[in-house]
Amino acid sequence: MYDPYRILGVMPTSSDEEVRDAYKSLMRRYEGDEEKLAEVTAAFDSIMNIRRGGAGQSSAGGFSEVRRQLQNGNYNDADSMLESIDEKTAEWYFLKGSVCYARGWLNEAYSNFSQACRMEPYNPEYNSALRHMSESRNGYMQGDPNGNPFGGNGRTFGCSVCDICNGLICADCCCECMGGDCIPCC
C-alpha cells in the first residue's frame, strides 16, 4: 500500500515545516533520479492535500499520473490530462513546461518553468528545471559525468562556428605553404 509519510520518512504527527524539510532534503538527495523525484513529489503533494482537508486531491492524483505519462513518453496524454485540470498550480506549470520541453517547444517550456518558480521559489525541482533551461539558452553544457575539465564555467571549449571557420582557414594556409590545398575554393 502507498504510504506517503513512509516515502518522506516523516510521521503523520510531523509539522508542515518538518514535512517540507524532509521533502527538500530528499529532492536534493535524489537530484537527477527522475523516478525517485516523481515519487517524492507525489508523496509530498499527497500529504499536503490531506492536510488541506482533501482540497485539490483529484489534481494531485492527476499530477502523479501526468508524471507517469511523461516518463513513458506519452506527451499528448500528459498534455491532455493537464488541460483537464482547472487549478493551475506551480506543479501544473512545471509539468506543462516538462511537456513543452519534451516536444522541443523551448520558449514555452521556459515560460512555464519560470511561472512555476515564481509561484514556489524554493522548490528545488522547479529551480533545477529553470536553471537547466537558462544554461541551455546561454550555451552551457548539460551534464558532465567526468567533472569539468574545461574550467570553472561549464562551457564547452569556447568553439563557435566562427572559431571553426577560422581554424579551417588557418589549416588551409598551412597546407598551401607546404604545397597542398586543404580547402580548394580558397
Side-chain angles (χ1 to χ4, degrees), residues 17-155:
E17 189 62 34
E18 290 171 320
V19 172
R20 278 189 198 92
D21 289 344
Y23 170 70
K24 289 175 185 176
S25 174
L26 290 172
M27 293 299 288
R28 283 189 294 274
R29 180 188 306 168
Y30 295 125
E31 187 173 349
D33 184 345
E34 296 301 319
E35 188 173 319
K36 280 299 222 183
L37 290 174
E39 180 182 29
V40 168
T41 299
F44 176 75
D45 288 344
S46 179
I47 291 170
M48 296 315 285
N49 283 325
I50 290 167
R51 291 177 177 213
R52 290 182 197 123
Q57 219 162 358
S58 62
S59 294
F63 288 149
S64 61
E65 183 58 30
V66 170
R67 284 179 178 270
R68 202 172 354 271
Q69 293 300 326
L70 278 168
Q71 287 176 339
N72 293 329
N74 300 326
Y75 308 125
N76 290 335
D77 292 341
D79 196 29
S80 295
M81 294 170 119
L82 283 171
E83 292 302 321
S84 71
I85 297 172
D86 293 329
E87 184 183 357
K88 293 189 173 37
T89 62
E91 178 79 357
W92 187 94
Y93 283 103
F94 170 74
L95 293 171
K96 184 69 171 183
S98 299
V99 168
C100 294
Y101 184 79
R103 290 177 165 171
W105 303 343
L106 302 184
N107 287 336
E108 193 172 338
Y110 184 82
S111 175
N112 281 293
F113 288 148
S114 296
Q115 180 63 26
C117 287
R118 280 192 296 275
M119 293 174 81
E120 284 188 30
Y122 299 109
N123 185 306
E125 184 180 26
Y126 305 165
N127 287 322
S128 177
L130 183 61
R131 185 175 54 252
H132 174 79
M133 289 292 303
S134 296
E135 290 173 352
S136 293
R137 288 175 139 200
N138 293 327
Y140 289 100
M141 286 176 38
Q142 297 304 319
D144 190 301
N146 301 316
N148 185 4
F150 310 119
N153 66 0
R155 285 190 163 274

Side-chain angles (χ1 to χ4, degrees), residues 153-165:
N153 66 0
R155 285 190 163 274
T156 59
F157 298 111
C159 291
S160 67
V161 174
C162 292
D163 293 332
I164 294 169
C165 288

